[in-house]
Amino acid sequence: MKRLALFAASCVLGVACKTAEPTPEPSRASSPAPVAVSAEPSPGTAPAEPAASTLPPGERPMPPGLDAEVMDPSANPCDDFYAYACGGWLKTTEIPAERARWSRGFETVAERNQAVLRDILTRAAEGKGDASPDDKLLGAYYGACMDEPRLEKSLPALRTHLKKLTTLKSPQDVASAVAWLHARDVNAIFRVTSDQDQKDSTQVIAVVDSGELGMPDRDYYLKPDLKMREARAAYQAHVQKVFELLGDAPFMASRKATGILAIETRLASAALPKEERREPEKVYHRLERQGLKKLAPAFQWDTYFAQVGLPAGEALNVTQPKYFAEVSALVRQQRPSDMGPYLSYQLVKNVQTALPKAVRDEFFRFESTVLTGAKADLARWKKCVEATDDALPHALARPFIASTFGAEGKATTLDMVQQIEQSFERNLGTLAWMDADTRAQALTKVRKITNKIGYPDQWRSYAGLEIQRDSFLDSFLAADAFEQARQLRKVGQPVDLTEWFMSPPTVNAYYNAATNEIVFPAGILQPPFFNRDAAAPVNFGAMGMVVGHEITHGFDDEGRQFDADGNLRTWWTPASDKAFRERVACVRQQYDGYTAVDEVKVNGKLTLGENVADLGGLKLAYAAMEAYLAKHPDQAAKATSYRFTPGQQFFLAHAQSWCSKIRNEAARQRAMTDSHSPAFLRVNGPVTNLPQFQQAFSCQAGTKMVAPAANRCEVW
């Protein structure tokens, strides 16, 4: 249901996750000897952080929260820190057949969470839950999803819905069909939703934006290289196969597939490139309804607005005027009946989880061979857990929270967040490039950040939602319609500052510039990110970096354009603005020079915000760790009794939470579409700029993890 705020929310992981397995080749430059697991300095090199323990290195215990088996002590941390911290794990770990990517952090934690959710849902489906209204909804929805024999009988119901989309005779029919789909969150041609007015953060307005494509990004339709031409051919063959499975003759299915690819190519050509969507001003155009009608007159907007479920009113942000001009041209030039196959495929793609196995298998075949590289489809129960969490997130979250997350975890995390916010405040005073006026506004903004930890204070109601145990397709559409109606009802209302845009079991975190808030769901607040038994530097390096990352998003190239109240406005002086742009240009250039997979380079512009947040997050968390240990000498003494110094523990904890492997197909897709850099670069990229890292591991100039002074990047 894709509910993060459209233009101003940034995640540590993101909807499209980031990783790639390749690591840099060993440096041929002179460097210190590889650091052993004991982390003893090379002969003749004075350690920057002497260990307080008098025990011999081999007898010192590993810091709680770190795993020596994950490491590769033969690698040189100053040449490839990711290989040093994660090399043992990389050598022994295989990506599960059903996954495109596997990590020691996000995917492993998500798998654990799924097992907890499965137990909750199985009990609900078997009538062994608490029999509350939410429990009954969960049981009915999950039970219907798991009822595979009934799924095999779902095509007649699907065809009934498809008739609404295939008997189109007029432009009004097209508008009605699109409205019917949009009311069920099927984003054909374009999408409609509600969002905060970027220049009046107190109000919610309607938004129309570009729609979903059958392939991940416009580049799949437009790039001329061989890989993308092969992807287009495979996609067209896939769409044809889907229509054959729905009962079309091959020649008819082929015609439909050709037409669908042509329509989507036109839409892709008109859409803003993903890099430009990161610029808030480029996706904010208050044209209102009348302005949209003038811009795109061929589409029957009065018919559409009357049926889609939006409240009356003119307020409307048209994110991409050029795109909607093309929508008008498309509708004018296509016969209404020719739009039917395109709209039909959009519905089928959206509800594929509720269809017979042959159809589901075809979608998996295409996605695995072209996009993910997965060798097996996800187990049915995992798909149903995901579907239920998407449809009924708060109903499922309440029992999850009750069994996994206590008040102690919330308080401990909040304390860490506040420490790192204070670290940001202290750091502001050290930035010579920022003038006093801009610094004062930045200080106001960080002090107004709202911190949401674990789970919302108010749970959402599902009163009025009807779930049918004997029809997962109808239940799926009903849940989507219920949520979309909730979203659209917000239009014209004050912003609800208590709302969460992630479900609490989610293994992620986000910063939302429109509300100036950071959100840490309970799902991520567990090992290896957070462990109440871990050494303090370990928690600061793993979870603390996540916290610092999200805080920094408020001041990255996108988030900095919003003020303390979430309004899009200029609050920087020209001098500080110029200095900031020079510093982020350094980060962009650094990441433009990296290779993600094969011949595909990292897109430094697309990933700029996340890379700035990674760099700032590590610096802030490290400073917070130092301040914490200075105030807690008992914890400092304990931290220095382990096999690694506190600084080394910090960076190892950060790296070990990102140990990841990914299949080449998925790595290629993410490099083209994801705003996050590959995992190995989220470890190696920032540390090359951090003197704290180089000091911790006694790295010398000329090694790969030490950027030359002239090229070292620092923003926050």
Side-chain angles (χ1 to χ4, degrees):
M1 291 181 189
K2 310 163 285 267
R3 292 304 178 193
L4 261 181
L6 274 177
F7 317 113
S10 301
C11 307
V12 71
L13 179 64
V15 174
C17 308
K18 67 270 141 254
T19 41
E21 188 178 343
T23 53
E25 294 183 6
S27 171
R28 292 179 175 83
S30 61
S31 61
V35 178
V37 171
S38 63
E40 288 300 287
S42 305
T45 302
E49 300 183 37
S53 174
T54 58
L55 288 172
E59 296 180 21
R60 297 175 192 165
M62 279 295 290
L66 292 182
D67 189 342
E69 297 299 317
V70 171
M71 301 174 64
D72 179 3
S74 70
N76 187 339
C78 298
D79 277 339
D80 187 346
F81 184 56
Y82 181 73
Y84 175 70
C86 295
W89 185 91
L90 293 171
K91 291 174 184 176
T92 60
T93 301
E94 295 294 332
I95 303 173
E98 63 187 14
R99 300 290 184 180
R101 172 186 186 272
W102 192 250
S103 72
R104 185 173 178 268
F106 290 97
E107 279 77 16
T108 299
V109 176
E111 192 92 348
R112 291 202 302 262
N113 289 354
Q114 275 200 323
V116 175
L117 297 175
R118 181 191 192 184
D119 181 64
I120 293 168
L121 291 170
T122 299
R123 290 180 59 81
E126 293 175 351
K128 299 176 181 177
D130 62 13
S132 66
D134 279 359
D135 181 71
K136 292 177 180 178
L137 283 175
L138 292 171
Y141 195 88
Y142 183 75
C145 184
M146 290 294 292
D147 193 346
E148 295 195 77
R150 286 189 185 273
L151 297 183
E152 295 302 312
K153 303 174 183 178
S154 60
L155 285 186
L158 176 67
R159 292 190 182 105
T160 298
H161 295 307
L162 292 177
K163 285 181 181 179
K164 302 180 181 71
L165 312 175
T166 56
T167 56
L168 309 179
K169 298 179 180 179
S170 69
Q172 287 79 10
D173 289 344
V174 173
S176 292
V178 173
W180 185 87
L181 289 170
H182 287 184
R184 287 151 185 82
D185 200 30
V186 180
N187 299 317
I189 306 184
F190 61 96
R191 66 175 296 196
V192 64
T193 189
S194 59
D195 199 24
Q196 216 164 314
D197 186 337
Q198 293 191 78
K199 296 191 177 181
D200 180 1
S201 63
T202 66
Q203 294 297 313
V204 178
I205 62 172
V207 179
V208 289
D209 191 21
S210 55
E212 292 181 22
L213 298 168
M215 290 189 284
D217 182 69
R218 68 193 299 272
D219 286 350
Y220 280 80
Y221 296 85
L222 305 178
K223 279 195 170 183
D225 61 83
L226 177 61
K227 286 287 187 181
M228 294 300 97
R229 295 200 305 271
E230 290 175 345
R232 289 191 284 273
Y235 177 61
Q236 186 168 335
H238 154 70
V239 175
Q240 176 178 338
K241 182 62 175 177
V242 168
F243 280 105
E244 290 177 11
L245 290 170
L246 296 179
D248 282 349
F251 80 91
M252 180 59 69
S254 177
R255 283 183 55 188
K256 290 181 177 180
T258 300
I260 289 169
L261 182 60
I263 289 172
E264 292 188 351
T265 301
R266 287 187 65 170
L267 295 173
S269 299
L272 274 177
K274 51 194 172 295
E275 300 91 335
E276 294 186 32
R277 286 186 62 92
R278 294 194 64 255
E279 183 57 55
E281 290 283 1
K282 289 188 176 181
V283 289
Y284 183 81
H285 306 278
R286 279 289 301 268
L287 301 185
E288 317 300 61
R289 290 193 187 185
Q290 288 303 316
L292 179 59
K293 292 177 185 178
K294 293 178 181 178
L295 175 69
F299 190 83
Q300 301 300 300
W301 293 106
D302 287 338
T303 300
Y304 172 82
F305 285 129
Q307 298 180 27
V308 75
L310 274 172
E314 274 292 308
L316 182 68
N317 177 23
V318 180
T319 63
Q320 302 180 50
K322 176 186 173 183
Y323 182 89
F324 283 91
E326 181 62 21
V327 167
S328 182
L330 175 68
V331 171
R332 184 178 66 251
Q333 294 164 9
Q334 294 275 349
R335 292 180 301 180
S337 59
D338 291 340
M339 296 297 295
Y342 162 77
L343 299 176
S344 297
Y345 178 76
Q346 287 286 312
L347 175 62
V348 173
K349 180 177 183 290
N350 193 72
V351 302
Q352 59 181 280
T353 305
L355 298 180
K357 187 175 185 301
V359 180
R360 303 197 308 267
D361 286 349
E362 171 53 32
F363 276 95
F364 169 74
R365 184 202 62 77
F366 167 69
E367 291 167 3
S368 62
T369 56
V370 177
L371 305 178
T372 69
K375 307 304 180 185
D377 203 359
L378 273 177
R380 183 65 191 176
W381 72 265
K382 293 181 180 179
K383 288 188 176 185
C384 291
V385 167
E386 290 177 358
T388 310
D389 183 45
D390 189 49
L392 301 162
H394 284 220
L396 184 54
R398 294 175 74 175
F400 174 83
I401 292 298
S403 63
T404 63
F405 192 72
E408 179 185 350
K410 193 165 187 172
T412 303
T413 306
L414 180 59
D415 181 60
M416 176 178 284
V417 171
Q418 291 171 339
Q419 290 180 59
I420 296 175
E421 288 171 344
Q422 292 165 10
S423 176
F424 186 93
E425 292 186 27
R426 292 191 298 270
N427 184 62
L428 277 176
T430 71
L431 302 178
W433 60 266
M434 177 176 276
D435 58 40
D437 289 345
T438 308
R439 182 180 293 111
Q441 297 242 28
L443 187 61
T444 297
K445 181 171 180 177
V446 74
R447 287 177 174 171
K448 290 191 74 172
I449 290 176
T450 299
N451 302 312
K452 296 179 177 178
I453 311 296
Y455 52 90
D457 294 327
Q458 298 179 13
W459 295 105
R460 194 178 301 164
S461 170
Y462 295 96
L465 173 59
E466 295 185 6
I467 299 299
Q468 300 182 40
R469 181 67 176 259
D470 60 353
S471 175
F472 184 55
L473 175 61
D474 289 336
S475 295
F476 187 97
L477 289 171
D480 275 2
F482 184 86
E483 172 60 14
Q484 178 70 336
R486 186 185 75 86
Q487 292 290 333
L488 297 185
R489 283 197 303 271
K490 297 179 188 178
V491 172
Q493 301 300 314
V495 171
D496 180 3
L497 295 176
T498 69
E499 184 168 15
W500 282 49
F501 297 104
M502 276 182 183
S503 69
T506 302
V507 187
N508 211 332
Y510 70 88
Y511 171 81
N512 186 4
T515 49
N516 194 25
E517 66 181 13
I518 48 178
V519 181
F520 302 97
I524 197 174
L525 299 175
Q526 53 184 299
F529 298 105
F530 178 78
N531 184 343
R532 67 184 66 189
D533 298 321
V538 172
N539 275 335
F540 274 100
M543 192 62 210
M545 180 274 175
V546 173
V547 174
H549 173 102
E550 299 305 341
I551 293 172
T552 306
H553 268 312
F555 303 88
D556 67 15
D557 63 308
E558 183 178 5
R560 78 178 188 99
Q561 298 182 54
F562 294 81
D563 66 15
D565 296 316
N567 291 300
L568 179 60
R569 70 172 181 89
T570 300
W571 54 271
W572 292 63
T573 64
S576 289
D577 178 79
K578 180 176 182 291
F580 177 88
R581 292 178 187 275
E582 291 171 351
R583 279 156 178 74
V584 296
C586 175
V587 178
R588 176 179 175 179
Q589 183 177 12
Q590 175 187 348
Y591 284 82
D592 274 337
Y594 291 132
T595 298
V597 59
D598 298 333
E599 81 289 355
V600 182
K601 305 288 284 187
V602 174
N603 186 331
K605 182 178 180 181
L606 175 64
T607 59
L608 181 58
E610 300 298 335
N611 298 332
V612 169
D614 282 348
L615 176 57
L618 271 176
K619 179 183 174 182
L620 292 175
Y622 193 92
M625 175 200 72
E626 289 185 313
Y628 176 84
L629 293 180
K631 291 180 180 179
H632 298 83
D634 57 330
Q635 292 295 315
K638 187 175 181 181
T640 56
S641 69
Y642 297 123
R643 197 176 303 181
F644 296 96
T645 67
Q648 292 169 339
Q649 295 170 41
F650 174 92
F651 287 108
L652 284 168
H654 164 61
Q656 289 197 348
S657 69
W658 286 102
C659 300
S660 305
K661 299 185 80 168
I662 188 169
R663 303 186 193 277
N664 280 358
E665 296 88 345
R668 178 180 294 272
Q669 179 194 161
R670 296 189 190 284
M672 293 174 61
T673 63
D674 193 1
S675 61
H676 303 76
S677 292
F680 72 95
L681 292 175
R682 301 193 72 173
V683 175
N684 284 352
V687 300
T688 64
N689 298 303
L690 290 174
Q692 298 90 333
F693 169 81
Q694 292 136 26
Q695 183 182 29
F697 287 94
S698 302
C699 296
Q700 303 299 312
T703 54
K704 285 195 171 184
M705 297 293 98
V706 181
N711 297 331
R712 188 169 71 86
C713 302
E714 182 179 34
V715 185
W716 294 106

